[in-house]
Amino acid sequence: MIAYIKGEIAELTEDNLVLEVNGIGYNIKISPGTAGLLPGLHREVKMYTYTHVREDAFWLYGFLTREDLEIFRKLITVNGIGPKGGLAILSVMTAEELRFAIAAGDAKAIARAPGVGVRTAERVILDLRDKVSGEDCFVSRVSTENPGALGDSGRTGCSTAGKEAAEALTALGYPAAEALKAVRQVEISQGMDAEAVLKQALKHLL
């Protein structure tokens, strides 16, 4: 219903944002991760929104990028994951970490979300594995879509070597989020293979 809202931050907590637009304040539910990337009060920001309508409520859920909104939309198609559950998952991991956790089959990482058990996490992986690409797991688009927000948009994609190295780390027992973070710290140059990336990533974990 509402694609996005661009306005001034009037109020901000770790799970709620009030954006003022032409004298009207819009309550938008957000994750703590999103809250941490937002600029301060009275700064302008653009939030991509999902509208959830029930008989007794009308809620807006906000995200800094279209990609984050897209992964949220996919999450809530999973049986047992509603908007509240989707936001709970995105409160314990970034959208990039979630994409990689799904690609790597790391149910334990997803199950860290409040109210989400291992079985539900496994269902998320089963339902979304073919719908979520791991190729974008090393890129953050926050700065490009929201210049006023924090974030690093310097990396433009995920190399095959990086993806394979991160998957190797999860196979060694490292949580998906830690594996992803370690590989993202590696400057992957042209011609580096997965083994070379893996060796560099391990240095950040030891």
Side-chain angles (χ1 to χ4, degrees), residues 21-206:
V21 184
N22 297 325
I24 300 175
Y26 292 88
N27 261 314
I28 304 174
K29 290 187 173 295
I30 58 175
S31 71
T34 295
L37 291 171
L38 290 170
L41 294 176
H42 312 302
R43 297 283 297 279
E44 187 176 82
V45 71
K46 180 179 181 180
M47 299 297 295
Y48 294 90
T49 56
Y50 172 80
T51 306
H52 181 60
V53 180
R54 299 189 324 194
E55 290 182 3
D56 59 344
F58 182 100
W59 295 108
L60 288 173
Y61 292 82
F63 308 89
L64 281 167
T65 69
R66 292 185 184 91
E67 287 74 19
D68 289 353
L69 175 58
E70 180 185 346
I71 194 74
F72 176 79
R73 286 181 179 277
K74 286 182 169 67
L75 270 175
I76 62 178
T77 65
V78 178
N79 186 32
I81 301 289
K84 185 176 180 181
L87 205 63
I89 292 174
L90 292 174
S91 73
V92 298
M93 61 199 321
T94 66
E96 287 81 10
E97 290 169 351
L98 174 59
R99 291 187 188 99
F100 185 70
I102 292 171
D106 190 350
K108 290 183 179 179
I110 300 173
R112 290 190 295 113
V116 178
V118 174
R119 287 188 179 180
T120 301
E122 290 174 344
R123 190 180 304 127
V124 169
I125 293 170
L126 181 64
D127 288 1
L128 300 185
R129 177 167 278 167
D130 294 334
K131 301 176 183 178
V132 174
S133 171
E135 295 304 315
D136 291 332
C137 59
F138 298 113
V139 62
S140 173
R141 299 175 181 83
V142 171
S143 296
T144 57
E145 296 197 30
N146 261 300
L150 303 177
D152 176 18
S153 60
R155 301 184 76 98
T156 57
C158 170
S159 70
T160 301
K163 182 173 179 289
E164 291 177 354
E167 289 174 344
L169 287 173
T170 61
L172 290 172
Y174 290 98
E178 288 185 23
L180 180 59
K181 182 179 179 181
V183 173
R184 289 183 70 173
Q185 290 178 296
V186 177
E187 289 295 331
I188 304 176
S189 59
Q190 195 72 20
M192 285 183 72
D193 60 14
E195 184 178 355
V197 177
L198 177 60
K199 289 179 179 179
Q200 291 296 319
L202 281 170
K203 293 179 181 179
H204 295 286
L205 291 168
L206 300 177

Side-chain angles (χ1 to χ4, degrees), residues 7-13 16-19 35 38-45:
E8 183 180 287
I9 299 175
E11 298 178 21
L12 176 63
T13 66
N16 193 76
L17 165 70
V18 176
L19 274 190
L38 290 170
L41 294 176
H42 312 302
R43 297 283 297 279
E44 187 176 82
V45 71

